[in-house]
Amino acid sequence: MSKQTPANKDHTENDGDNIEVWEDIVSPKDLLISIAICTITTLGGYLIAPNDPSKELMFGLIGVVIGFLICSLIIKPKRTISYIDDEEK
Amino acid sequence: MDITLILEMIAASMFGAVLYTIIGIAPGTDETAVLAPVTLVLVLTGMEPIVILAFFISAIVAKKLTDSIPVAIAGIPGGVMSAPMVEHAMVLKKYGLPDVSIRKMASGSVIGTIISVPLSLMLANLLIPVGGIIAEYSNQIFFGGAVFLALMTKNRWLALLSIIPFALLIQGLRHLYWGIDAVPEDFTVFTSFFLGITLGPIILRLFELMNKEIRNSLPRQKSNNIALRRQKKLKGFPNPFKLLDKKEVGSSAAGSVLGVGTFFMSPVGMTIFLGEVLTSRIKDPIKKASRAISSMDGVTNSAYIAGTLIPLIAIGLPLSPTAIGPGIALFEAPPVFTEDHNLHHILSMSDFVVATVIGAVIAISLTFFVTIKYSQQICTFVFKYIPHEALLGVFFGLVIMLAYRDAGLINIGGVLLVGLVAGVLHRWGVNYGVQFMVLYSAPWIVMQLL
């Protein structure tokens, strides 16, 4: 994996490099980064938790939320939204 | 029932409604893949069973209400279940009526929920006497279900032939784990294999991305172009019965009743079928489309609620597509819930009623109001700020964590293996239904081969 920052705007706007996964368009690079981040935060949370079954999952869940927030901040959605104005009928 | 428990149910329902309002709008989210992992985690944290049920009911109602929003606004299904509605919603979009679409669909959903809750509870009550007999033959029923579903797919011989090898893969891994003491003898790995199957198509795609030839041959796109139509504002508090005309209320209600009665069938199949039957005689395209989407949403909602509640209350085994898919954690989430100890055994009839009503009422009052009033704003927010990669990453992370929890490091490899095989089978047309049924009956199938 290259070390360039995933949020690099030029990257997502310049090349038509994205593919469809699960009905939406993603960049393979960003997808790998997101999976890496979420796996690390989730499994990491699970592993650093005190040795108690329900706490382990709670920490894991907190890890998921943290991973999700990080990914949402650094990855730009590959969707272009345009608006169509309706004429009053 | 004490106040704290009721407050907990209300809090869990609100959490479910908010979370699945957002997830429902995100395009292409498969119901099983988004509902099962989160419910599983909540079950495993040791939350009160009755609170889990309230959460789950609220989550499905909210998800079903909101996954029609992207259909109406952008023609993209928000989930597998809303895919059949795209065609009709596109008709309304063509005539410039996406706001009408949303209101009709959401109102259909509400009617479906209102009808299916009491009806499912009643039907479940009627089925309780035969529940025990059905449960005794569960292995045969699941195997029969796998064969039946395999025969219904397009490539039926392929699907049929895949049943035994897939069962061997699952049992093979379980015996390996027992053999090397990765898990204790009395623990059967289930949850993480289930999730491996669910995320199979994505796991397969990820592996393919590492293959240069396949990566270069995949169709490339710069972005997903979504056209949103601006909507007119609606004043006052929306009333589902006023947003639909009498005939639409009638056919949504009829569809909902049929949806409850056919709880053991595929909800997507029933939605398509009933949607066609209920509207085939209408000529005017706008009327036909709005009748179709309102009644289809009624059907999906009631099929989902009935498919969850009836097997839970009457049988205790996941004998419906909804139960064995999104609702699996309510039946089987070892070590908390097992075949002989799950919501069916723990909750009383009044518990079921209270949890279902709290979940449904909270989801409807929060999500219906928000859906009708602010669908455009929510849609824009989700499309603009929630990257699809983050959603995929979240579910992948959850699956890896639960795999590790089930049987340690080795099971991460095991789940990837299951996912890889399941993903290939899925692409060949062997649907989730067949695979889940095999997962359930694998121990029995393997014993028959000796």
Side-chain angles (χ1 to χ4, degrees):
Chain A
M1 207 189 298
S2 94
K3 279 184 184 152
Q4 83 184 94
T5 46
N8 189 343
K9 271 194 174 176
D10 297 328
H11 165 71
T12 47
E13 278 170 13
N14 279 346
D15 50 18
D17 219 16
N18 303 327
I19 55 152
E20 191 206 302
V21 177
W22 226 17
E23 309 282 318
D24 205 352
I25 307 299
V26 298
S27 139
K29 210 170 272 169
D30 289 352
L31 180 58
L32 289 178
I33 290 166
S34 159
I35 284 177
I37 290 175
C38 289
T39 307
I40 291 168
T41 55
T42 312
L43 207 54
Y46 186 88
L47 292 174
I48 61 162
N51 203 6
D52 167 342
S54 67
K55 279 209 183 100
E56 286 173 344
L57 278 171
M58 265 305 158
F59 276 63
L61 269 189
I62 295 167
V64 162
V65 174
I66 294 172
F68 177 75
L69 291 177
I70 296 175
C71 293
S72 300
L73 288 175
I74 63 170
I75 297 170
K76 199 169 157 269
K78 277 82 195 164
R79 304 187 190 101
T80 313
I81 301 168
S82 52
Y83 293 96
I84 307 163
D85 279 303
D86 261 346
E87 288 154 40
E88 288 293 326
K89 279 176 191 166
Chain B
M1 200 169 294
D2 61 73
I3 298 286
T4 41
L5 204 55
I6 289 179
L7 286 177
E8 265 181 57
M9 279 192 267
I10 292 174
S13 305
M14 288 173 80
F15 170 66
V18 172
L19 182 65
Y20 285 96
T21 297
I22 295 169
I23 293 180
I25 289 173
T29 42
D30 177 84
E31 282 76 6
T32 304
V34 299
L35 277 160
V38 176
T39 318
L40 269 167
V41 170
L42 293 181
V43 170
L44 295 175
T45 51
M47 209 185 232
E48 284 289 329
I50 192 170
V51 178
I52 306 248
L53 182 64
F55 163 84
F56 186 78
I57 296 290
S58 165
I60 48 175
V61 172
K63 170 102 176 66
K64 298 259 76 49
L65 266 168
T66 55
D67 68 4
S68 35
I69 296 179
V71 175
I73 296 191
I76 300 165
V80 179
M81 296 284 305
S82 52
M85 283 171 241
V86 171
E87 188 195 330
H88 298 287
M90 290 321 274
V91 173
L92 292 179
K93 206 180 142 195
K94 200 173 85 192
Y95 287 94
L97 301 163
D99 44 344
V100 174
S101 252
I102 294 178
R103 283 166 208 165
K104 302 268 182 196
M105 285 196 254
S107 307
S109 273
V110 172
I111 290 177
T113 308
I114 294 175
I115 287 186
S116 64
V117 168
L119 212 56
S120 306
L121 293 170
M122 274 178 345
L123 186 57
N125 235 346
L126 288 177
L127 286 174
I128 286 177
V130 290
I133 306 166
I134 297 175
E136 241 171 75
Y137 292 99
S138 62
N139 282 320
Q140 288 87 333
I141 292 173
F142 282 119
F143 178 66
V147 172
F148 176 74
L149 287 177
L151 290 174
M152 299 303 281
T153 60
K154 246 188 209 159
N155 304 311
R156 61 173 69 106
W157 302 116
L158 169 81
L160 209 54
L161 267 177
S162 71
I163 290 178
I164 288 177
F166 196 57
L168 285 177
L169 171 71
I170 289 160
Q171 282 308 90
L173 281 172
R174 283 176 177 162
H175 281 270
L176 170 71
Y177 294 171
W178 286 323
I180 61 165
D181 281 332
V183 297
E185 285 281 338
D186 57 348
F187 183 77
T188 307
V189 177
F190 179 88
T191 313
S192 48
F193 289 173
F194 177 87
L195 295 172
I197 295 174
T198 314
L199 282 193
I202 297 170
I203 292 172
L204 176 64
R205 178 48 67 88
L206 288 174
F207 272 89
E208 283 179 341
L209 288 178
M210 287 177 256
N211 177 317
K212 209 171 181 191
E213 277 157 40
I214 298 180
R215 193 172 60 225
N216 290 338
S217 68
L218 287 173
R220 298 283 160 154
Q221 234 168 317
K222 198 174 143 212
S223 67
N224 196 357
N225 294 312
I226 299 170
L228 292 178
R229 225 168 244 275
R230 287 194 202 283
Q231 295 163 37
K232 291 150 224 156
K233 283 225 172 72
L234 191 80
K235 288 189 188 86
F237 196 87
N239 175 346
F241 294 96
K242 279 195 187 139
L243 293 171
L244 296 176
D245 67 29
K246 270 188 191 140
K247 282 181 181 159
E248 286 161 357
V249 172
S251 58
S252 310
S256 309
V257 173
L258 290 169
V260 172
T262 54
F263 71 93
F264 49 87
M265 310 251 271
S266 150
V268 182
M270 285 316 293
T271 306
I272 297 171
F273 174 72
L274 290 176
E276 289 305 317
V277 170
L278 291 168
T279 58
S280 59
R281 293 218 196 122
I282 306 168
K283 291 260 162 61
D284 178 9
I286 295 183
K287 276 193 185 143
K288 183 185 171 110
S290 55
R291 189 81 162 269
I293 52 173
S294 54
S295 39
M296 281 171 140
D297 236 305
V299 178
T300 54
N301 251 53
S302 71
Y304 252 70
I305 291 176
T308 310
L309 286 180
I310 296 175
L312 260 186
I313 297 171
I315 309 165
L317 286 169
L319 285 170
S320 80
T322 318
I324 205 170
I328 192 70
L330 308 177
F331 295 86
E332 185 101 29
V336 182
F337 294 153
T338 60
E339 235 167 76
D340 315 303
H341 178 78
N342 57 35
L343 290 190
H344 172 72
H345 312 89
I346 300 168
L347 299 186
S348 70
M349 192 65 189
S350 60
D351 290 343
F352 275 112
V353 176
V354 171
T356 308
V357 169
I358 289 183
V361 167
I362 287 186
I364 287 180
S365 43
L366 275 179
T367 313
F368 181 70
F369 178 75
V370 168
T371 303
I372 302 283
K373 283 254 183 185
Y374 304 105
S375 54
Q376 173 115 49
Q377 287 86 335
I378 303 173
C379 231
T380 311
F381 175 82
V382 172
F383 286 166
K384 263 196 181 156
Y385 298 108
I386 310 284
H388 196 53
E389 289 90 337
L391 286 175
L392 293 172
V394 160
F395 291 110
F396 200 85
L398 279 178
V399 170
I400 297 292
M401 175 179 79
L402 291 170
Y404 181 80
R405 181 188 175 82
D406 256 359
L409 213 51
I410 187 175
N411 195 35
I412 294 179
V415 166
L416 289 180
L417 173 61
V418 171
L420 213 50
V421 175
V424 172
L425 291 177
H426 192 265
R427 190 172 293 171
W428 287 345
V430 183
N431 58 37
Y432 282 146
V434 179
Q435 299 184 19
F436 291 153
M437 296 270 179
V438 174
L439 172 65
Y440 237 88
S441 52
W444 184 83
I445 294 175
V446 170
M447 289 316 285
Q448 308 308 306
L449 294 172
L450 280 177

